[in-house]
Amino acid sequence: MKRKHRIVRTLLYGVLFMAAFSGPALASEPEGFPASEWLVDVIDATRVVGYFVSVATDPFTGESYISYYEGIDGDLWLARTGAPTGNCGPGNTWECQVVDSVGVVGKYSSITVGGPGPIAKLYISYYDWNSGSLKVLEGEVNRETGALSYTTDIVDLGDPGISVYKGKRTALAITSGGTPQVAYQVDLGTYQVIKYAKRVAPGTGNCGEGGALDSWQCDSIHTEIGIGDYIDIDVGPGGITNIAFHTTFSFDTFPIIATLVGTGGSCNISDAWQCGPIRNMGYDTGEELSLAIGIGGVKHLAYRNADTDSLEWARYVGSGGNCGPNGNTWQCEWIDDIGFDAMASGIDIETDNDANPIIVYQDVSSGDFDLN
């Protein structure tokens, strides 16, 4: 029986498509997937939903989780499979529920699920517009029954009254042991800061409010004018964290990779991080960036080239490349023409079990809005 691949669709003013790939061997089917091999499901069509969407799959159970923003009431929603009862999706096989409705919350969400044992750890990072703060939902899902419990807390408190906004952009990853880590932008008006938050033992951190008081460690990494509008995070082998972010503080724009090295790094706030630009001189690159660390710790970055309206892929090679720090530590390659749209186009990269990169992206080059 041929494997079916799935597009999950939520409805808003237009239509938003997103793909959740299951199985490791996409590279073994090089001719692509005809329409007959995709399943299109409407998950939530009852509100103005689907903004700032993020998807995760439990690596043990295969259950799907989607975080998204509801645009009328300004709430954070969660859709998932495997719940004890369903109220949305085909045949009510999904459960859709509001998980935070205090003020205007849920923009820039990033979701992850994982961790060992019978209880899955679920985390969602997102922005609290009212307080200008980074918030995180921390949940637990019984992998056998699907029962969910969760709390929501401010992790890094902002102050809109003095133009301090924390968490306008967020990206979340989880270690193999279930520890959440968040990369996010702090917007101070005249300049921006890249920050990193990690869950720590209660009472040992320097941030976190309410039930998460001093249960997070929030550290500044790098600062410049015009950085962090695009940001992503991934954890490689050995638990080494990498953060990718976009900078416009130059005659050309480009992505920067910050790697947690402990000491001796080059980022301009924290020497615990090594910052390396991936520059393709003369080109504006790095929009819509997405980071993935594959088998063996090889770093892959997918992003948009704004000068050529194209999708590009960069891979860390150490030497002999054509871009990156020292001009040759990364190999940057053109992948496809994708066109330009005033709305943010989508790009996401992952690697399969054979270390092959898989890139999902929106293509508007033909005048249509295609998911490739």
Side-chain angles (χ1 to χ4, degrees):
M1 177 179 176
K2 274 195 171 181
R3 179 180 54 189
K4 289 281 188 177
H5 307 274
R6 185 175 299 274
I7 296 176
V8 176
R9 183 175 71 179
T10 57
L11 299 188
L12 46 157
Y13 291 118
V15 178
L16 176 73
F17 290 95
M18 47 184 275
F21 292 100
S22 61
L26 292 179
S28 66
E29 302 174 46
E31 295 182 359
F33 309 120
S36 60
E37 292 191 20
W38 289 87
L39 303 174
V40 180
D41 293 337
V42 176
I43 303 304
D44 189 344
T46 59
R47 290 163 294 274
V48 181
V49 294
Y51 297 101
F52 303 102
V53 68
S54 182
V55 63
T57 301
D58 188 327
F60 291 92
T61 65
E63 302 294 354
S64 296
Y65 296 79
I66 303 171
S67 61
Y68 55 101
Y69 177 69
E70 191 278 326
I72 297 298
D73 296 321
D75 296 334
L76 175 68
W77 280 75
L78 171 68
R80 65 188 181 108
T81 61
T85 59
N87 61 3
C88 60
N92 286 333
T93 54
W94 291 66
E95 181 183 74
C96 296
Q97 65 184 109
V98 60
V99 289
D100 194 347
S101 59
V102 180
V104 178
V105 290
K107 292 183 176 182
Y108 314 109
S109 77
S110 181
I111 189 171
T112 190
V113 60
I119 304 297
K121 298 292 186 180
L122 170 69
Y123 298 97
I124 305 173
S125 60
Y126 56 101
Y127 183 59
D128 181 338
W129 183 86
N130 295 86
S131 65
S133 302
L134 170 70
K135 292 192 78 172
V136 172
L137 177 148
E138 298 187 53
E140 293 187 340
V141 182
N142 186 305
R143 285 188 163 116
E144 182 177 348
T145 67
L148 167 68
S149 61
Y150 65 90
T151 61
T152 60
D153 290 294
I154 290 175
V155 168
D156 201 352
L157 182 63
D159 189 345
I162 56 173
S163 299
V164 175
Y165 308 97
K166 300 179 178 181
K168 279 190 172 181
R169 305 292 190 275
T170 78
L172 193 149
I174 192 171
T175 67
S176 59
T179 301
Q181 304 177 75
V182 183
Y184 58 105
Q185 181 202 62
V186 173
D187 185 0
L188 300 175
T190 55
Y191 64 97
Q192 291 74 41
V193 180
I194 301 299
K195 292 194 73 173
Y196 166 72
K198 180 180 181 180
R199 191 70 155 93
V200 295
T204 65
N206 64 356
C207 60
E209 306 290 327
L213 183 65
D214 296 333
S215 294
W216 289 79
Q217 181 67 34
C218 297
D219 296 321
S220 298
I221 297 174
H222 196 75
T223 183
E224 283 179 12
I225 298 172
I227 62 171
D229 282 347
Y230 306 100
I231 191 167
D232 202 5
I233 186 172
D234 202 4
V235 182
I240 298 176
T241 301
N242 288 262
I243 296 172
F245 57 93
H246 177 254
T247 177
T248 62
F249 188 60
S250 179
F251 67 92
D252 55 357
T253 67
F254 50 88
I256 293 176
I257 300 288
T259 302
L260 184 58
V261 294
T263 186
S266 62
C267 297
N268 63 16
I269 296 180
S270 172
D271 69 355
W273 294 81
Q274 179 73 29
C275 283
I278 305 176
R279 303 184 72 168
N280 192 348
M281 297 298 291
Y283 288 98
D284 289 336
T285 60
E287 293 183 358
E288 311 299 337
L289 61 79
S290 178
L291 173 69
I293 304 176
I295 296 172
V298 177
K299 302 170 189 175
H300 299 263
L301 193 69
Y303 53 88
R304 182 177 180 273
N305 185 322
D307 287 324
T308 60
D309 290 334
S310 58
L311 171 70
E312 292 189 358
W313 164 57
R315 176 173 60 94
Y316 181 77
V317 293
S319 62
N322 62 1
C323 61
N326 303 320
N328 65 358
T329 53
W330 288 70
Q331 181 70 27
C332 294
E333 297 184 11
W334 175 93
I335 300 295
D336 196 6
D337 290 321
I338 60 176
F340 170 75
D341 182 62
M343 297 291 287
S345 55
I347 296 174
D348 196 18
I349 187 171
E350 293 293 344
T351 59
D352 65 20
N353 289 355
D354 296 319
N356 298 307
I358 304 163
I359 304 174
V360 183
Y361 60 99
Q362 183 188 57
D363 179 9
V364 299
S365 59
S366 66
D368 297 322
F369 292 81
D370 298 329
L371 175 70
N372 289 2

